[in-house]
Amino acid sequence: MISITPEQFDTAKKNGVSKELVRSRIQKCRWSIEKAIGTPPKNESAYDRHKRWIRIAEKNGIKKEYFIQRIEQYGWSKKDASTLPIGTVRKKKA
């Protein structure tokens, strides 16, 4: 596992990048630490990026916050995040 120093997190914060986003970029997107902490986040909100899928999720009884968590924290596909019932457990990919 890659270790990120407090100084690197400070640099990320100065660039508007949260600790969670740094970790996600490194683990899920396989970015280098330098790219993860140095690339400012998109101005577009998670809601704006996923409007269509959020509507589908809400029709399926899944709140938008939980849908976004499934996408951003758990790495689910938009389809799965918006259609699989709450309580569904998925194994992490190796």
Side-chain angles (χ1 to χ4, degrees), residues 65-81:
E65 295 83 7
Y66 190 55
F67 165 82
I68 291 169
Q69 182 180 32
R70 285 175 156 186
I71 297 282
E72 295 183 353
Q73 282 187 297
Y74 305 140
W76 288 28
S77 70
K78 293 174 188 173
K79 180 181 178 186
D80 285 354

Side-chain angles (χ1 to χ4, degrees), residues 14-29:
K14 290 175 187 171
N15 290 322
V17 182
S18 69
K19 287 182 179 183
E20 294 79 18
L21 184 55
V22 170
R23 289 184 185 112
S24 176
R25 287 173 166 180
I26 292 169
Q27 293 171 356
K28 294 179 184 150
C29 303

